[in-house]
Amino acid sequence: MVRLLSFVFVVLGFFTTVYGQAQSSAPKRPKLVVGVVVDQMRWDYLAYYGYAFGEGGFRRLLSEGFSCDNNSLNYLPTVTACGHTCLYTGSVPAITGIAGNNFYKDGVKVYCADDSTVQTVGSTTKAGRMSPRNLRVTTMCDAVKIAQNFASKTIGVSLKDRGAILPAGHTADAAYWFDNESGVFVTSTYYMEELPKWVSDFNAANRKDKDIRYTPEGNELVADMAIAALRGEKLGQGSTTDFLAVSFSSTDYIGHRYGTRAKETEEAYRRLDGEVAKLLAALDMAVGKGNYLLFLSADHAAAHNAALMQEHGVPAGEWMETEALQGMNDYLRKRYSTTVPFVKDFMEYRVYLDHEAIVAGGHAVAEVAASLSEYISRDDRVAYAVPYVLVPTSNIPQAIRERITNGYNPKRSGDIQVVLQPGYYGFEPDSYHEGTTHGAWCPYDSHTPLIFYGWNVASGRTSRETHITDVAATVCSLLGVQSPNGCIGTPIDLH
């Protein structure tokens, strides 16, 4: 009997030891991950506007965090929907399915977050008929939640619907965005049937005019909403790692209207620095300094205004997209003796041909695409115009060819990629021509800041090449979870 009891105690001791070791070796994670995206922030703004920053915002992140100074977007087009998606998925448009802010899906033009199967929650407008269903892969928010058996919370906040929805992913508890018509934050029935009380209370106290988008107060509103979410949802207060995805959009609206060197843009970043400081202070108070992991980056950057560059002798200019579209169809009408427009759309430097009309006219789509590309290339403002199917064999620099390939989704990207000369960009007649835009491969559109801060991050910086697709891989590696299912990024060595 004594021997039997001794054996039992030995076995129990063995399993207790093994279980204890397993528990102690389980990955330790922060209480909260916070993603901060600054829409249209150039990397050089950290230095250019740095003199206006205080100690608690960008300077705190740079002095105490780890800065990747050579971070870039490795795909085309460099626009908001792609930027937010690729940063959070670690993937590229070729895989994510988010080929642009707008694209064609099953032959129909759609907005990146459109979803006619859901309804608005929080107002009576159509602003909430949105969801992540057009996104074909998971985000790091999804990955963190899956790793914890869906027990954690994920909240996305932005003025722009796509800035809240696409980062938060498919499994988010909520994404909230600003309804310009009603002046409050809304969501959709994809997430819930009615707003939580804390959101209703926030809206009641913070109803705003739609023009707040074009002022620094737009970023203030987002910071306040993010802090309200932090407190209202008790993020970082449980036994799991929660996720708060925040996107500041007013910098993009202001940049488009006023440009990269305007006093309005300077004021926007000076004020944003204060909002970043306010958010960090709220995180310190609610979660505890060192208990949260934060990263800050941008979805894209921006070109200097073409007229400003021309004044100083730099080659630059605009390319009217509507005029270009008309010119394409005029050329094809003459070339193929047709009255039917063969080009159905041109957006974000992508040409969409009407395959049915071309075939019905007795022509081959490939031949029409090749002919049109040759015509577009005659414009001196155009560097390359290439049918997507010919990109692998075209005489294009590898860096640009790789970006085109990464951005090409066969079912959603159209037929031809147009690449303008550096310094030139596409504009619409009703755009703010004293302002700026983005979308190109060039460093002014693709070189973005990337800073990691907080939990398990030592201060430092690197000039090693990193990409926007590496962010999700790095966060997941730090947390010891599997990367999102379409991730092609590589974890960054933060040393």
Side-chain angles (χ1 to χ4, degrees):
M1 183 66 178
V2 173
R3 290 182 178 179
L4 177 61
L5 288 174
S6 298
F7 175 76
V8 170
F9 286 133
V10 168
V11 171
L12 287 174
F14 172 78
F15 281 111
T16 300
T17 300
V18 170
Y19 179 75
Q21 290 175 344
Q23 289 294 93
S24 64
S25 64
K28 291 180 172 58
R29 296 170 180 147
K31 294 181 178 180
L32 179 67
V33 179
V34 182
V36 177
V37 177
V38 182
D39 204 325
Q40 202 187 112
M41 185 176 185
R42 292 168 55 109
W43 169 78
D44 61 350
Y45 282 174
L46 289 170
Y48 188 79
Y49 293 123
Y51 71 93
F53 297 157
E55 295 302 321
F58 289 118
R59 286 186 182 177
R60 174 179 168 181
L61 295 179
L62 287 169
S63 63
E64 299 179 22
F66 192 94
S67 178
C68 301
D69 296 339
N70 190 20
N71 186 65
S72 63
L73 281 58
N74 52 346
Y75 56 82
L76 288 173
T78 51
V79 296
T80 297
C82 297
H84 283 82
T85 301
C86 294
L87 194 156
Y88 274 84
T89 64
S91 192
V92 289
I95 299 170
T96 69
I98 304 299
N101 291 332
N102 299 280
F103 47 85
Y104 278 78
K105 177 184 174 184
D106 300 325
V108 178
K109 187 175 181 178
V110 299
Y111 173 65
C112 59
D114 273 345
D115 189 344
S116 61
T117 70
V118 299
Q119 301 298 322
T120 304
V121 175
S123 80
T124 58
T125 74
K126 296 181 179 180
R129 304 195 71 182
M130 305 283 171
S131 85
R133 287 192 172 113
N134 286 328
L135 176 61
R136 307 189 74 166
V137 297
T138 58
T139 72
M140 67 173 111
C141 296
D142 293 319
V144 171
K145 203 159 199 188
I146 292 168
Q148 301 175 102
N149 295 319
F150 305 97
S152 59
K153 286 185 178 180
T154 296
I155 305 292
V157 176
S158 178
L159 288 184
K160 293 183 180 180
D161 47 53
R162 58 189 183 272
I165 294 169
L166 297 173
H170 301 278
T171 63
D173 296 88
Y176 300 105
W177 55 94
F178 188 69
D179 178 354
N180 297 325
E181 188 175 337
S182 66
V184 297
F185 281 93
V186 299
T187 188
S188 83
T189 52
Y190 177 88
Y191 305 99
M192 64 189 70
E193 295 299 323
E194 62 179 324
L195 293 178
K197 185 178 184 301
W198 70 263
V199 179
S200 297
D201 290 346
F202 183 90
N203 283 337
N206 294 278
R207 188 177 294 273
K208 304 294 182 180
D209 183 86
K210 66 179 180 180
D211 287 338
I212 195 174
R213 295 174 293 168
Y214 295 95
T215 71
E217 284 76 19
N219 287 332
E220 179 181 344
L221 182 66
V222 168
D224 288 343
M225 179 63 174
I227 293 170
L230 174 69
R231 295 168 177 166
E233 296 291 342
K234 295 181 172 55
L235 299 177
Q237 302 302 310
S239 59
T240 57
T241 299
D242 296 328
F243 213 121
L244 176 61
V246 184
S247 178
F248 291 105
S249 305
S250 286
T251 42
D252 183 69
Y253 289 114
I254 292 168
H256 277 295
R257 179 173 285 188
Y258 300 107
T260 60
R261 290 293 185 260
K263 65 181 187 300
E264 291 86 355
T265 302
E266 176 184 7
E267 177 68 2
Y269 279 92
R270 184 186 70 80
R271 297 270 294 273
L272 175 61
D273 178 62
E275 298 309 309
V276 172
K278 182 171 70 178
L279 178 60
L280 289 173
L283 290 165
D284 290 345
M285 180 68 69
V287 186
K289 187 175 182 180
N291 289 327
Y292 59 90
L293 170 65
L294 181 146
F295 62 85
L296 182 144
S297 191
D299 54 343
H300 56 74
H304 290 310
N305 179 266
L308 175 65
M309 293 295 97
Q310 290 170 351
E311 288 176 13
H312 295 275
V314 178
E318 298 177 357
W319 200 50
M320 293 300 98
E321 294 174 348
T322 52
E323 294 178 6
L325 175 59
Q326 181 178 339
M328 292 177 203
N329 274 319
D330 287 345
Y331 164 77
L332 292 176
R333 285 190 186 98
K334 294 178 182 178
R335 173 72 173 78
Y336 295 100
S337 302
T338 180
T339 59
V340 178
F342 282 176
V343 180
K344 63 181 178 181
D345 217 331
F346 177 54
M347 55 185 174
E348 299 168 345
Y349 309 109
R350 306 187 309 272
V351 178
Y352 289 82
L353 296 176
D354 189 332
H355 290 211
E356 292 183 1
I358 292 171
V359 173
H363 308 290
V365 173
E367 196 278 327
V368 171
S371 178
L372 181 59
S373 296
E374 191 277 330
Y375 160 78
I376 297 171
S377 298
R378 296 175 195 169
D379 192 313
D380 193 51
R381 296 167 294 184
V382 176
Y384 307 99
V386 188
Y388 282 114
V389 295
L390 298 182
V391 167
T393 58
S394 296
N395 188 23
I396 300 175
Q398 174 61 28
I400 301 176
R401 182 164 60 245
E402 181 179 350
R403 285 168 167 80
I404 296 173
T405 300
N406 284 343
Y408 173 54
N409 188 284
K411 296 183 177 180
R412 299 182 178 183
S413 292
D415 301 276
I416 299 171
Q417 175 73 62
V418 177
V419 178
L420 298 184
Q421 299 285 1
Y424 289 79
Y425 46 69
F427 246 130
E428 286 300 309
D430 58 350
S431 298
Y432 299 97
H433 291 257
E434 66 273 21
T436 187
T437 190
H438 50 86
W441 67 271
C442 303
Y444 49 73
D445 279 358
S446 63
H447 189 185
T448 54
L450 174 58
I451 306 171
F452 293 91
Y453 172 85
W455 179 84
N456 274 10
V457 176
S459 62
R461 64 193 313 156
T462 181
S463 293
R464 296 190 300 271
E465 183 179 18
T466 62
H467 299 112
I468 190 172
T469 48
D470 296 333
V471 179
T474 303
V475 170
C476 289
S477 177
L478 287 171
L479 269 60
V481 306
Q482 182 60 267
S483 293
N485 62 13
C487 182
I488 64 168
T490 302
I492 300 168
D493 181 7
L494 302 181
H495 295 94

